[in-house]
Amino acid sequence: MIGKLNHVAIVVPDLTAAAALYRDTLGARVSAPLPLPAHGVTTVFVELPNTKIELLHPLGEASPIRRFLDTNPSGGIHHLCYEVQDIRAARDRLRAAGARVLGDGEPKTGAHGKPVLFLHPKDFCGTLLELEQA
Ligand code: CO
C-alpha cells in the first residue's frame, strides 16, 4: 500500500544554520525558507535524488512542533512521510487494522498542497508517520 518515501522531517532549533549545513557542508540543493502559518511551521526543503528532507522550525506560539523542540533542544527526526495512491482508502484500511489516525481523521492539505494524514507513533514502531496522497 505505501509507496515512495516522500520525505523525512527534521525539527531544527536554527533553520538558517541547518539550511547552511545541508547546502554547504553536505552539498545538497536547499530551498529558501517557506513559512506555512496554517501548519505552524517554517520549512526548508532539501532535494535529494530519491527523496526530500524537510527542515522544520516552529512558527508562532501554538506551533505543533514547539513541544518537540522543548524536549529535543538540539533537534531531531520528527516524522517520515510515505506516499499512498488513495489516502481515504489507506486510512480506512489502517483503522480497520486498529491503527490510530491523529486529529479528526479527515485529510488536510499538507506542505506540498496534497492531502495528508498523520498516524500515531505508538502504532508504528515509535515513529510518527505522515501519509501523503501522491
Ligand atoms: Co511532513
Side-chain angles (χ1 to χ4, degrees), residues 1-8 47-54 79-91 93-94 112 114-117 119 128-134:
M1 179 178 69
I2 60 169
K4 286 184 180 169
L5 175 66
N6 184 277
H7 61 268
V8 176
E47 294 282 346
L48 302 180
N50 61 342
T51 190
K52 293 185 281 290
I53 308 296
E54 283 185 11
H79 64 268
L80 304 181
C81 177
Y82 298 123
E83 296 180 2
V84 294
Q85 296 261 321
D86 180 334
I87 199 160
R88 286 189 168 79
R91 174 199 60 194
R93 173 172 160 171
L94 290 164
H112 314 114
K114 296 181 173 169
V116 302
L117 282 175
L119 305 170
L128 178 62
L129 294 187
E130 178 179 17
L131 298 180
E132 179 175 297
Q133 188 162 290

Side-chain angles (χ1 to χ4, degrees), residues 32-127:
L34 180 68
L36 298 168
H39 295 276
V41 298
T42 303
T43 180
V44 165
F45 298 103
V46 181
E47 294 282 346
L48 302 180
N50 61 342
T51 190
K52 293 185 281 290
I53 308 296
E54 283 185 11
L55 305 173
L56 301 175
H57 187 75
L59 176 62
E61 280 310 308
S63 172
I65 59 168
R66 170 100 33 212
R67 209 175 53 181
F68 183 91
L69 200 52
D70 289 343
T71 334
N72 305 276
S74 46
I77 294 179
H78 184 260
H79 64 268
L80 304 181
C81 177
Y82 298 123
E83 296 180 2
V84 294
Q85 296 261 321
D86 180 334
I87 199 160
R88 286 189 168 79
R91 174 199 60 194
D92 294 346
R93 173 172 160 171
L94 290 164
R95 273 191 174 151
R100 286 165 285 184
V101 178
L102 300 189
D104 64 6
E106 279 308 302
K108 303 279 187 293
T109 302
H112 314 114
K114 296 181 173 169
V116 302
L117 282 175
F118 285 91
L119 305 170
H120 201 295
K122 289 204 171 131
D123 296 333
F124 294 95
C125 311
T127 307

